[in-house]
Amino acid sequence: MKLGFVSAILPDLPLEEVIRFASETGYSCVELMCWPKGKAERRYAGVTHIDAAGFRQSDAEKVRVLLKDAGVSVSSLGYYPNYLTPNAEEARAVTAHFKKVIQAASLLGVGRVTTFIGRDWTKSVEENWPRFKKVWAPLVRFAEDHDVQIGIENCPMLFTDDEWPGGKNLAHSPSVWRRMFEELPSKSFGLNYDPSHLVWQQMDYIKPLWEFKDRIFHVHAKDVRLDRDRLDDVGILATPLQYHSPKLPGLGEVDWGRFCSVLGEIGYDGPVCVEVEDRAYEGSLETRKAALRQSARFLSQFIP
């Protein structure tokens, strides 16, 4: 396994400094964010460390030289919009950009992109399903044609009032993943597995590793703390941020020793990338860097 981090937490640093920091801190890979240049519409979005629009072979060569000099690799190119939004123009734009991210991954020789499925949050899973197949079957074929894997993160994207009631990502549970992979059995279509999203849904985050071991392309290392007193007060029907908080690995409820042990047992040897969304560390660039240093020290004891 390779220890890395998600570059979204360092939006104020250019690519060169992100890679240099990774090397100095002991990370061997980075998931680089590839949002279109422009204003972010939500937290941790809108970060552009690789500008996929107009990305050429010459750009790829410059990035490869930078990575080689630092001894750091790219775990994946990340882009996490909502492809199934009811806004048709937005859906068209994000789908077109995703194809550019896939092409950039191919040029770089990274071979992997990470994203969400998306969802019309006003509709049920069943009502979203025909559109899922219509949108994603051609995207998966496009990735296959470029020899790139797609890793779908299992975050429900259901935290706040604007995502209520259904969330903005279909791929939130094993039952949905199973159906996704039955519909689109491509070997280029898998998971970007984050255990924290299962914890706050009151679900087992170890058991799916065994069933989906051949579909886990990428792992996010984020922890979560449940406030049981708040949950007793507001219930699971409340917006989730009312009763849970994203935390650094080791500061929440995930048993990282057991998690990494099972990852090893199922034969996973890919990236494990720290995703910092712990608001206690967001005061400045230095506290965000400190969060990444602390996470590297903690997780290094479990990753060979």
Side-chain angles (χ1 to χ4, degrees):
M1 286 180 268
K2 290 185 174 182
L3 183 60
F5 66 83
V6 181
S7 76
I9 197 60
L10 300 176
D12 29 11
L13 295 185
L15 176 63
E16 292 79 3
E17 292 187 36
V18 170
I19 298 301
R20 186 181 308 121
F21 176 78
S23 178
E24 293 170 352
T25 315
Y27 286 101
S28 58
C29 63
V30 182
E31 180 186 352
L32 292 175
M33 292 298 103
C34 297
W35 289 80
K37 288 190 171 180
K39 183 180 179 182
E41 295 182 355
R42 67 168 198 265
R43 295 167 68 83
Y44 314 114
V47 178
T48 312
H49 282 126
I50 292 287
D51 186 3
F55 194 77
R56 301 177 179 177
Q57 187 64 52
S58 57
D59 300 313
E61 184 57 33
K62 291 177 184 175
V63 175
R64 277 195 288 268
V65 170
L66 175 68
L67 294 166
K68 183 178 180 181
D69 290 346
V72 173
S73 62
V74 177
S75 68
S76 174
L77 297 188
Y79 176 48
Y80 296 86
N82 184 356
Y83 304 95
L84 306 186
T85 171
N87 182 324
E89 178 57 27
E90 179 186 348
R92 185 203 62 77
V94 299
T95 300
H97 186 74
F98 185 49
K99 289 183 176 179
K100 295 176 182 175
V101 176
I102 291 172
Q103 289 171 320
S106 179
L107 284 174
L108 277 168
V110 170
R112 188 182 299 116
V113 296
T114 32
T115 190
F116 294 141
I117 286 296
R119 175 174 177 164
D120 181 342
W121 59 96
T122 67
K123 296 181 179 178
S124 68
V125 170
E126 200 62 44
E127 290 167 334
N128 270 271
W129 210 257
R131 189 147 171 247
F132 157 73
K133 291 191 289 186
K134 181 179 180 180
V135 170
W136 277 94
L139 284 175
V140 171
R141 283 197 297 273
F142 188 82
E144 288 175 336
D145 290 344
H146 288 79
D147 198 22
V148 170
Q149 294 179 324
I150 300 174
I152 300 297
E153 185 176 354
N154 54 301
C155 178
M157 289 307 291
L158 199 173
F159 298 107
T160 52
D161 290 343
D162 65 318
E163 295 157 342
W164 189 256
K168 292 183 176 176
N169 183 31
L170 278 179
H172 67 279
S173 69
S175 68
V176 175
W177 310 337
R178 196 174 298 119
R179 188 175 178 185
M180 277 170 28
F181 299 137
E182 287 171 358
E183 294 280 1
L184 303 176
S186 169
K187 293 182 179 178
S188 295
F189 192 44
L191 293 172
N192 177 17
Y193 194 91
D194 184 331
S196 71
H197 301 310
L198 296 168
V199 173
W200 73 258
Q201 292 182 83
Q202 323 287 308
M203 299 166 78
D204 190 321
Y205 58 90
I206 296 291
K207 190 162 59 176
L209 296 177
W210 295 100
E211 177 178 350
F212 297 96
K213 61 183 180 181
D214 295 331
R215 294 288 183 177
I216 298 174
F217 295 167
H218 195 272
V219 170
H220 273 177
K222 184 173 68 182
D223 217 327
V224 66
R225 188 182 67 216
L226 293 179
D227 186 333
R228 304 286 175 179
D229 288 338
R230 286 294 299 155
L231 185 56
D232 287 343
D233 191 40
V234 301
I236 61 169
L237 298 182
T239 47
L241 285 180
Q242 294 184 55
Y243 60 85
H244 96 286
S245 304
K247 304 301 296 179
L248 298 187
L251 300 185
E253 306 202 12
V254 174
D255 182 337
W256 290 97
R258 182 164 174 251
F259 182 73
C260 291
S261 172
V262 175
L263 281 180
E265 287 183 50
I266 64 171
Y268 181 79
D269 63 355
V272 177
C273 288
V274 174
E275 186 179 27
V276 178
E277 294 186 356
D278 188 331
R279 297 193 180 196
Y281 291 80
E282 292 186 353
S284 68
L285 173 60
E286 284 310 310
T287 58
R288 286 179 277 124
K289 284 183 170 180
L292 289 170
R293 293 189 186 99
Q294 178 175 328
S295 299
R297 287 195 300 271
F298 176 76
L299 287 174
S300 293
Q301 65 186 311
F302 305 118
I303 295 177

